[in-house]
Amino acid sequence: MAAPAPQRAGTAALAAHHWDLVAWSGRKLPEGRPLRLDFDAGRHSFSADTGCNRAGGAYRVKGRTIRFGDGKGGFASTLMACPEPGMATERAYVAILGAVRSYRIDGDRLVLRTARGATLTYRAAHKPAANAPRKFLYVSAETKPCMGVAPMTCLQVRTKESDPWQLHYGGIVGFEPQPGIEYRIRIIEEKIANPPADASSIRWTLDQVVEQRVIKRR
């Protein structure tokens, strides 16, 4: 039996974006990259970056109600150990996700609410199409000065280790390279409809960091 139209609309809206945590009632957000929450409407599953590990499982939507896992924090999770206060924050985050009972989407914000009124607020982030092509790139440990509309700094990239480095004038969404580290990454490549005159017609989004190594300066 097909899901009711409002339920399908709700799951589609949840799955249309990545959701990055921007506010947590009564708590300070952990430092570093935002905790990201994702929904897969086809599989009725979710995955969540919990700071140290990743958690996931089934989710259920009915109207404006939502349940994660078994509704009691019963999620599958990786089991990496991290220094405190990271683990304590992670336990608290998993607990509040398990206690969530309703959701609301307002523009680019997703608000999850527990029965006791605690809230998690997320901001929508671009989510590439599932069928967008993937490609592998090497990213140099060094950036180079380059000239776009104005002087700027460019990444150096190549598709094969034997290729010469090429300047990349656009950014890579979600990729924050550290100086002195060379990367091999998998990116998602998408065409942008009607880009600004001074912007690229291609968007690259980080899909996975495959390898990284420290390059010693000579």
Side-chain angles (χ1 to χ4, degrees):
M1 181 181 296
Q7 182 173 330
R8 292 198 301 272
T11 55
L14 290 168
H17 308 280
H18 296 302
W19 298 101
D20 292 336
L21 186 66
V22 294
W24 181 348
S25 63
R27 293 189 71 102
K28 184 179 178 180
L29 291 179
E31 296 181 357
R33 293 182 63 180
L35 302 184
R36 175 162 286 184
L37 178 65
D38 276 300
F39 297 88
D40 186 324
R43 297 181 179 179
H44 303 289
S45 63
F46 78 95
S47 62
D49 180 354
T50 56
C52 177
N53 290 280
R54 290 195 63 80
Y59 75 95
R60 294 166 289 159
V61 168
K62 185 176 182 181
R64 291 303 175 197
T65 65
I66 188 169
R67 299 286 191 278
F68 290 95
D70 59 8
K72 300 178 182 178
F75 312 146
S77 176
T78 56
L79 299 174
M80 294 176 58
C82 294
E84 297 293 357
M87 293 303 294
T89 300
E90 179 172 273
R91 288 191 293 271
Y93 183 54
V94 169
I96 193 172
L97 280 177
V100 164
R101 293 295 178 266
S102 66
Y103 78 98
R104 182 179 78 254
I105 297 177
D106 288 331
D108 69 344
R109 294 293 193 270
L110 165 66
V111 181
L112 303 179
R113 184 180 296 272
T114 71
R116 294 186 176 183
T119 58
L120 298 167
T121 303
Y122 300 81
R123 180 176 57 231
H126 174 72
K127 187 175 186 178
N131 61 352
R134 270 70 171 168
K135 61 190 286 186
F136 290 92
L137 290 175
Y138 291 92
V139 181
S140 172
E142 296 184 0
T143 57
K144 292 287 186 181
C146 56
M147 179 64 70
V149 177
M152 55 189 289
T153 301
C154 287
L155 294 174
Q156 297 186 90
V157 302
R158 59 189 179 190
T159 55
K160 297 179 182 178
E161 280 194 289
S162 57
D163 291 342
W165 292 111
Q166 302 288 330
L167 295 177
H168 175 58
Y169 288 83
I172 300 175
V173 178
F175 181 52
E176 299 177 3
Q178 299 300 309
I181 298 180
E182 182 176 298
Y183 297 86
R184 185 169 186 247
I185 63 175
R186 186 172 67 197
I187 57 99
I188 304 170
E189 185 173 88
E190 299 175 283
K191 292 184 178 180
I192 301 174
N194 304 314
D198 60 349
S200 173
S201 62
I202 299 294
R203 177 193 288 118
W204 284 356
T205 300
L206 177 66
D207 188 38
Q208 181 182 354
V209 175
V210 180
E211 298 174 347
Q212 61 185 63
R213 58 175 178 164
V214 176
I215 302 298
K216 295 182 179 179
R217 293 182 181 271
R218 295 180 179 180

